[in-house]
Amino acid sequence: MLEKLQHIEDRYNQLTDLLMDPEVINDSNKLRKYSKEQADIQPIVEKYREYKDLQQQIADAKTMISEESDKDVIDMAKEELEELEPQVEPMEEELKFLLIPKDPNDDKNVIMEIRGAAGGDEAALFAGDLYRLYSRYAESQGWRIEVIESHEAEVGGFKEIIFMINGTGAFSRFKFENGAHRVQRVPDTESGGRIHTSTSTVAVLPEAEEVEVNIQDNDIRVDTFTSSGPGGQSVNTTMSAVRLTHEPTGVVVSCQDEKSQIKNKEKAMKVLRARIYEMEQAKAQEEYDENRKSAVGTGDRSERIRTYNYPQNRVTDHRINLTINKLDQVMEGKIDEIIDSLLIQEQTEKLEELGE
């Protein structure tokens, strides 16, 4: 651990020199990259320096005890040692947690895609409920929600809705929502009172910056068309809706929520960039040792991650076997208890990996 900490401090010092280099100062991309890297490791370096100072004080006190002949000085050194030594273990534990690799996407904005899956109308209604849940949670965090594309179902809810959550740290809280969400309840349309099971899928993508994804303009086909609402009725007669096709990957994104073609294209580009970024990350993940995949899930959106049981007011996260009887509160956006439990599980596994 100490070797890793020293390596990080050496890198911090190197970054300090780089940030004073005129070549870096005049290159906005490098300046931003190095500044962020230094800011990310600064808490580790500060705590490591505090730890080294503590160890030095302990060593000095021990030297004083072994070399001094004055009883008062020795007694004073022993008292100092009794005060300092109990601080070592808690500080080492804190350093271990600080060494846990941070997800580089954690601070980013989020693009979420919710789709009704198995269950027909009930799946679309549940997709609407999930959108409301996430909107409430985002609002409680002071984050801004921006709808990019939506297709409402005739009965209510959504066949599909794509939206962006703008706020520092949004991805760190929403990333665990990736997967299939199952609901068990009696639909409003069910006269016999039978419980139905339906699913909606959620995809969580970190917003990718232009410098992170190389998309060439000549690789994108742009099509424009008129917007349409629920049931296919025309919303306007102008060609404001935009469809982008990234020909090398076949990724297609459309946006029609804005009346301006330019704004729709900007929103569609954000989703396109995020999807291609996700594809590149997925390729890298395939190279990761299968035995080290997190128990909180592979991130595959086909994986059933959670069940919402309305008759018993119960929600169960299957990845960590967490069950809480607060479904009514969860559906109002109070999901911190679930997210915090998933974060603890993730940190525990990363700590175990560090110790290997």
Side-chain angles (χ1 to χ4, degrees):
M1 183 179 79
L2 294 178
E3 188 178 333
K4 288 180 182 178
L5 288 165
Q6 187 57 53
H7 176 73
I8 291 169
E9 185 182 30
D10 292 342
R11 177 58 178 167
Y12 183 88
N13 293 333
Q14 183 185 18
L15 287 165
T16 299
D17 294 337
L18 284 167
L19 289 168
M20 292 188 291
D21 187 331
E23 185 183 333
V24 173
I25 292 170
N26 293 323
D27 187 327
S28 59
N29 286 336
K30 283 185 177 178
L31 186 63
R32 181 172 61 248
K33 177 185 174 184
Y34 293 149
S35 296
K36 185 179 185 306
E37 184 183 351
Q38 189 180 58
D40 286 343
I41 63 175
Q42 186 171 341
I44 303 174
V45 172
E46 288 177 351
K47 185 56 65 174
Y48 176 50
R49 287 173 176 172
E50 188 181 332
Y51 175 77
K52 286 197 297 183
D53 183 58
L54 175 65
Q55 292 286 18
Q56 186 60 54
Q57 289 180 63
I58 290 172
D60 290 344
K62 287 180 176 179
T63 300
M64 200 176 293
I65 292 168
S66 63
E67 295 181 358
E68 279 288 340
S69 56
D70 188 313
K71 185 178 181 302
D72 290 339
V73 174
I74 292 173
D75 288 343
M76 183 179 68
K78 285 181 177 178
E79 285 180 17
E80 187 178 0
L81 199 60
E82 287 176 4
E83 184 183 329
L84 294 171
E85 286 187 324
Q87 298 178 39
V88 173
E89 189 174 340
M91 198 175 290
E92 286 178 344
E93 288 301 311
E94 193 173 348
L95 282 166
K96 284 180 185 177
F97 273 97
L98 286 170
L99 276 174
I100 294 173
K102 185 181 178 183
D103 188 330
N105 296 319
D106 273 354
D107 290 336
K108 293 184 178 180
N109 297 332
V110 168
I111 293 172
M112 296 189 76
E113 304 178 359
I114 304 175
R115 295 178 177 87
D121 290 344
E122 178 63 11
L125 289 169
F126 184 53
D129 292 336
L130 288 174
Y131 171 66
R132 181 176 177 272
L133 183 166
Y134 296 137
S135 298
R136 289 286 180 91
Y137 182 69
E139 287 165 3
S140 74
Q141 302 299 306
W143 297 332
R144 183 169 55 87
I145 299 163
E146 182 181 2
V147 174
I148 294 173
E149 177 81 345
S150 64
H151 297 281
E152 296 179 18
E154 291 183 6
V155 296
F158 298 99
K159 295 177 183 176
E160 174 189 58
I161 182 166
I162 303 170
F163 56 102
M164 189 168 194
I165 298 172
N166 296 278
T168 302
F171 186 77
S172 70
R173 303 298 288 174
F174 280 109
K175 62 185 176 183
F176 300 112
E177 299 305 300
N178 218 36
H181 296 244
R182 181 174 69 173
V183 62
Q184 296 173 327
R185 64 185 177 188
V186 179
D188 292 337
T189 54
E190 175 58 56
S191 57
R194 291 181 299 131
I195 295 174
H196 283 227
T197 299
S198 308
T199 57
S200 292
T201 61
V202 176
V204 184
L205 314 177
E207 183 188 16
E209 297 178 17
E210 288 186 45
V211 294
E212 295 174 303
V213 181
N214 183 24
I215 300 177
Q216 303 295 327
D217 289 342
N218 56 6
D219 286 339
I220 300 174
R221 188 177 76 243
V222 182
D223 299 307
T224 57
F225 54 98
T226 56
S227 303
S228 61
Q233 74 264 30
S234 178
V235 172
N236 61 53
T237 55
T238 61
M239 304 289 280
S240 61
V242 174
R243 182 184 300 109
L244 303 181
T245 304
H246 186 245
E247 295 185 329
T249 59
V251 175
V252 180
V253 177
S254 61
C255 182
Q256 61 178 7
D257 266 52
E258 298 285 348
K259 293 180 181 179
S260 161
Q261 186 182 117
I262 293 173
K263 288 183 178 178
N264 279 329
K265 186 178 179 182
E266 287 176 356
K267 284 187 173 183
M269 273 301 299
K270 287 182 179 181
V271 178
L272 182 67
R273 200 176 292 122
R275 287 186 184 171
I276 292 172
Y277 181 63
E278 183 198 32
M279 289 172 69
E280 291 177 357
Q281 285 193 310
K283 286 179 184 176
Q285 182 66 27
E286 286 175 8
E287 299 172 6
Y288 192 71
D289 184 356
E290 284 288 328
N291 295 326
R292 288 174 177 251
K293 279 189 176 176
S294 170
V296 298
T298 60
D300 188 334
R301 68 194 67 172
S302 65
E303 176 188 16
R304 187 192 72 190
I305 64 166
R306 198 174 296 149
T307 296
Y308 305 74
N309 185 298
Y310 275 71
Q312 297 180 33
N313 194 37
R314 185 181 69 214
V315 59
T316 300
D317 195 290
H318 304 290
R319 296 163 293 182
I320 53 175
N321 296 318
L322 173 70
T323 297
I324 55 176
N325 295 306
K326 301 175 185 176
L327 178 58
D328 53 341
Q329 296 179 36
V330 166
M331 298 312 293
E332 289 299 318
K334 296 177 181 177
I335 55 174
D336 275 323
E337 183 176 348
I338 298 173
I339 293 172
D340 289 342
S341 298
L342 288 161
L343 276 170
I344 290 169
Q345 177 69 24
E346 181 187 56
Q347 289 176 342
T348 301
E349 288 169 358
K350 287 181 176 179
L351 269 177
E352 289 173 355
E353 287 184 13
L354 281 174
E356 291 177 8

PDB file of all heavy atoms in Angstrom, residues 177-192:
ATOM      1  N   GLU A 177     -28.572   1.568 -11.707  1.00  0.00           N
ATOM      2  CA  GLU A 177     -29.941   1.350 -12.182  1.00  0.00           C
ATOM      3  C   GLU A 177     -29.982   0.619 -13.518  1.00  0.00           C
ATOM      4  O   GLU A 177     -31.049   0.281 -14.016  1.00  0.00           O
ATOM      5  CB  GLU A 177     -30.676   2.693 -12.290  1.00  0.00           C
ATOM      6  CG  GLU A 177     -30.811   3.433 -10.971  1.00  0.00           C
ATOM      7  CD  GLU A 177     -31.464   2.580  -9.890  1.00  0.00           C
ATOM      8  OE1 GLU A 177     -32.611   2.144 -10.092  1.00  0.00           O
ATOM      9  OE2 GLU A 177     -30.806   2.337  -8.861  1.00  0.00           O
ATOM     10  N   ASN A 178     -28.818   0.370 -14.110  1.00  0.00           N
ATOM     11  CA  ASN A 178     -28.720  -0.286 -15.412  1.00  0.00           C
ATOM     12  C   ASN A 178     -29.235  -1.716 -15.331  1.00  0.00           C
ATOM     13  O   ASN A 178     -28.706  -2.521 -14.580  1.00  0.00           O
ATOM     14  CB  ASN A 178     -27.241  -0.301 -15.824  1.00  0.00           C
ATOM     15  CG  ASN A 178     -27.056  -0.059 -17.300  1.00  0.00           C
ATOM     16  OD1 ASN A 178     -27.790   0.711 -17.901  1.00  0.00           O
ATOM     17  ND2 ASN A 178     -26.084  -0.717 -17.887  1.00  0.00           N
ATOM     18  N   GLY A 179     -30.265  -2.053 -16.088  1.00  0.00           N
ATOM     19  CA  GLY A 179     -30.755  -3.426 -16.095  1.00  0.00           C
ATOM     20  C   GLY A 179     -32.260  -3.502 -16.236  1.00  0.00           C
ATOM     21  O   GLY A 179     -32.933  -2.512 -16.549  1.00  0.00           O
ATOM     22  N   ALA A 180     -32.795  -4.703 -16.037  1.00  0.00           N
ATOM     23  CA  ALA A 180     -34.239  -4.939 -16.153  1.00  0.00           C
ATOM     24  C   ALA A 180     -34.903  -4.803 -14.780  1.00  0.00           C
ATOM     25  O   ALA A 180     -34.456  -5.402 -13.804  1.00  0.00           O
ATOM     26  CB  ALA A 180     -34.500  -6.326 -16.724  1.00  0.00           C
ATOM     27  N   HIS A 181     -35.959  -4.013 -14.721  1.00  0.00           N
ATOM     28  CA  HIS A 181     -36.718  -3.780 -13.491  1.00  0.00           C
ATOM     29  C   HIS A 181     -38.066  -4.476 -13.625  1.00  0.00           C
ATOM     30  O   HIS A 181     -38.807  -4.233 -14.587  1.00  0.00           O
ATOM     31  CB  HIS A 181     -36.918  -2.277 -13.269  1.00  0.00           C
ATOM     32  CG  HIS A 181     -35.639  -1.527 -13.040  1.00  0.00           C
ATOM     33  ND1 HIS A 181     -35.359  -0.879 -11.852  1.00  0.00           N
ATOM     34  CD2 HIS A 181     -34.552  -1.331 -13.839  1.00  0.00           C
ATOM     35  CE1 HIS A 181     -34.157  -0.306 -11.938  1.00  0.00           C
ATOM     36  NE2 HIS A 181     -33.654  -0.564 -13.131  1.00  0.00           N
ATOM     37  N   ARG A 182     -38.399  -5.322 -12.651  1.00  0.00           N
ATOM     38  CA  ARG A 182     -39.622  -6.121 -12.714  1.00  0.00           C
ATOM     39  C   ARG A 182     -40.643  -5.583 -11.721  1.00  0.00           C
ATOM     40  O   ARG A 182     -40.302  -5.292 -10.569  1.00  0.00           O
ATOM     41  CB  ARG A 182     -39.301  -7.579 -12.378  1.00  0.00           C
ATOM     42  CG  ARG A 182     -40.507  -8.506 -12.440  1.00  0.00           C
ATOM     43  CD  ARG A 182     -40.108  -9.949 -12.233  1.00  0.00           C
ATOM     44  NE  ARG A 182     -39.667 -10.208 -10.864  1.00  0.00           N
ATOM     45  CZ  ARG A 182     -39.391 -11.420 -10.389  1.00  0.00           C
ATOM     46  NH1 ARG A 182     -39.466 -12.478 -11.187  1.00  0.00           N
ATOM     47  NH2 ARG A 182     -39.016 -11.585  -9.141  1.00  0.00           N
ATOM     48  N   VAL A 183     -41.885  -5.464 -12.163  1.00  0.00           N
ATOM     49  CA  VAL A 183     -42.949  -4.997 -11.277  1.00  0.00           C
ATOM     50  C   VAL A 183     -44.025  -6.078 -11.145  1.00  0.00           C
ATOM     51  O   VAL A 183     -44.363  -6.758 -12.121  1.00  0.00           O
ATOM     52  CB  VAL A 183     -43.571  -3.670 -11.795  1.00  0.00           C
ATOM     53  CG1 VAL A 183     -44.214  -3.856 -13.163  1.00  0.00           C
ATOM     54  CG2 VAL A 183     -44.583  -3.110 -10.794  1.00  0.00           C
ATOM     55  N   GLN A 184     -44.503  -6.246  -9.934  1.00  0.00           N
ATOM     56  CA  GLN A 184     -45.602  -7.185  -9.651  1.00  0.00           C
ATOM     57  C   GLN A 184     -46.725  -6.400  -8.997  1.00  0.00           C
ATOM     58  O   GLN A 184     -46.563  -5.877  -7.887  1.00  0.00           O
ATOM     59  CB  GLN A 184     -45.119  -8.314  -8.726  1.00  0.00           C
ATOM     60  CG  GLN A 184     -44.046  -9.182  -9.363  1.00  0.00           C
ATOM     61  CD  GLN A 184     -43.443 -10.186  -8.385  1.00  0.00           C
ATOM     62  OE1 GLN A 184     -43.323  -9.915  -7.195  1.00  0.00           O
ATOM     63  NE2 GLN A 184     -43.056 -11.355  -8.887  1.00  0.00           N
ATOM     64  N   ARG A 185     -47.869  -6.306  -9.696  1.00  0.00           N
ATOM     65  CA  ARG A 185     -49.007  -5.567  -9.153  1.00  0.00           C
ATOM     66  C   ARG A 185     -50.262  -5.892  -9.944  1.00  0.00           C
ATOM     67  O   ARG A 185     -50.199  -6.511 -11.012  1.00  0.00           O
ATOM     68  CB  ARG A 185     -48.735  -4.057  -9.190  1.00  0.00           C
ATOM     69  CG  ARG A 185     -48.567  -3.457 -10.570  1.00  0.00           C
ATOM     70  CD  ARG A 185     -48.183  -1.994 -10.486  1.00  0.00           C
ATOM     71  NE  ARG A 185     -47.949  -1.388 -11.794  1.00  0.00           N
ATOM     72  CZ  ARG A 185     -47.465  -0.169 -11.976  1.00  0.00           C
ATOM     73  NH1 ARG A 185     -47.146   0.581 -10.931  1.00  0.00           N
ATOM     74  NH2 ARG A 185     -47.281   0.314 -13.199  1.00  0.00           N
ATOM     75  N   VAL A 186     -51.389  -5.447  -9.411  1.00  0.00           N
ATOM     76  CA  VAL A 186     -52.666  -5.621 -10.092  1.00  0.00           C
ATOM     77  C   VAL A 186     -52.877  -4.408 -10.999  1.00  0.00           C
ATOM     78  O   VAL A 186     -52.984  -3.280 -10.515  1.00  0.00           O
ATOM     79  CB  VAL A 186     -53.832  -5.717  -9.080  1.00  0.00           C
ATOM     80  CG1 VAL A 186     -55.158  -5.865  -9.821  1.00  0.00           C
ATOM     81  CG2 VAL A 186     -53.618  -6.886  -8.125  1.00  0.00           C
ATOM     82  N   PRO A 187     -52.915  -4.603 -12.317  1.00  0.00           N
ATOM     83  CA  PRO A 187     -53.108  -3.466 -13.223  1.00  0.00           C
ATOM     84  C   PRO A 187     -54.489  -2.835 -13.048  1.00  0.00           C
ATOM     85  O   PRO A 187     -55.453  -3.510 -12.662  1.00  0.00           O
ATOM     86  CB  PRO A 187     -52.978  -4.090 -14.616  1.00  0.00           C
ATOM     87  CG  PRO A 187     -52.303  -5.412 -14.398  1.00  0.00           C
ATOM     88  CD  PRO A 187     -52.724  -5.855 -13.033  1.00  0.00           C
ATOM     89  N   ASP A 188     -54.584  -1.534 -13.315  1.00  0.00           N
ATOM     90  CA  ASP A 188     -55.874  -0.839 -13.230  1.00  0.00           C
ATOM     91  C   ASP A 188     -56.893  -1.433 -14.186  1.00  0.00           C
ATOM     92  O   ASP A 188     -58.099  -1.364 -13.951  1.00  0.00           O
ATOM     93  CB  ASP A 188     -55.686   0.653 -13.555  1.00  0.00           C
ATOM     94  CG  ASP A 188     -54.877   1.362 -12.483  1.00  0.00           C
ATOM     95  OD1 ASP A 188     -54.859   0.854 -11.346  1.00  0.00           O
ATOM     96  OD2 ASP A 188     -54.264   2.397 -12.792  1.00  0.00           O
ATOM     97  N   THR A 189     -56.398  -2.036 -15.267  1.00  0.00           N
ATOM     98  CA  THR A 189     -57.294  -2.593 -16.287  1.00  0.00           C
ATOM     99  C   THR A 189     -57.740  -4.014 -15.961  1.00  0.00           C
ATOM    100  O   THR A 189     -58.541  -4.598 -16.688  1.00  0.00           O
ATOM    101  CB  THR A 189     -56.582  -2.615 -17.645  1.00  0.00           C
ATOM    102  OG1 THR A 189     -55.335  -3.313 -17.498  1.00  0.00           O
ATOM    103  CG2 THR A 189     -56.293  -1.204 -18.137  1.00  0.00           C
ATOM    104  N   GLU A 190     -57.218  -4.575 -14.876  1.00  0.00           N
ATOM    105  CA  GLU A 190     -57.515  -5.968 -14.523  1.00  0.00           C
ATOM    106  C   GLU A 190     -58.719  -6.024 -13.591  1.00  0.00           C
ATOM    107  O   GLU A 190     -58.652  -5.649 -12.418  1.00  0.00           O
ATOM    108  CB  GLU A 190     -56.287  -6.602 -13.847  1.00  0.00           C
ATOM    109  CG  GLU A 190     -56.502  -8.016 -13.323  1.00  0.00           C
ATOM    110  CD  GLU A 190     -56.939  -8.986 -14.402  1.00  0.00           C
ATOM    111  OE1 GLU A 190     -56.240  -9.125 -15.417  1.00  0.00           O
ATOM    112  OE2 GLU A 190     -58.021  -9.591 -14.214  1.00  0.00           O
ATOM    113  N   SER A 191     -59.843  -6.514 -14.118  1.00  0.00           N
ATOM    114  CA  SER A 191     -61.083  -6.552 -13.316  1.00  0.00           C
ATOM    115  C   SER A 191     -61.070  -7.677 -12.287  1.00  0.00           C
ATOM    116  O   SER A 191     -61.701  -7.599 -11.242  1.00  0.00           O
ATOM    117  CB  SER A 191     -62.299  -6.713 -14.240  1.00  0.00           C
ATOM    118  OG  SER A 191     -62.161  -7.884 -15.035  1.00  0.00           O
ATOM    119  N   GLY A 192     -60.313  -8.744 -12.579  1.00  0.00           N
ATOM    120  CA  GLY A 192     -60.306  -9.901 -11.683  1.00  0.00           C
ATOM    121  C   GLY A 192     -59.376  -9.768 -10.507  1.00  0.00           C
ATOM    122  O   GLY A 192     -59.350 -10.636  -9.629  1.00  0.00           O
TER     123      GLY A 192
END
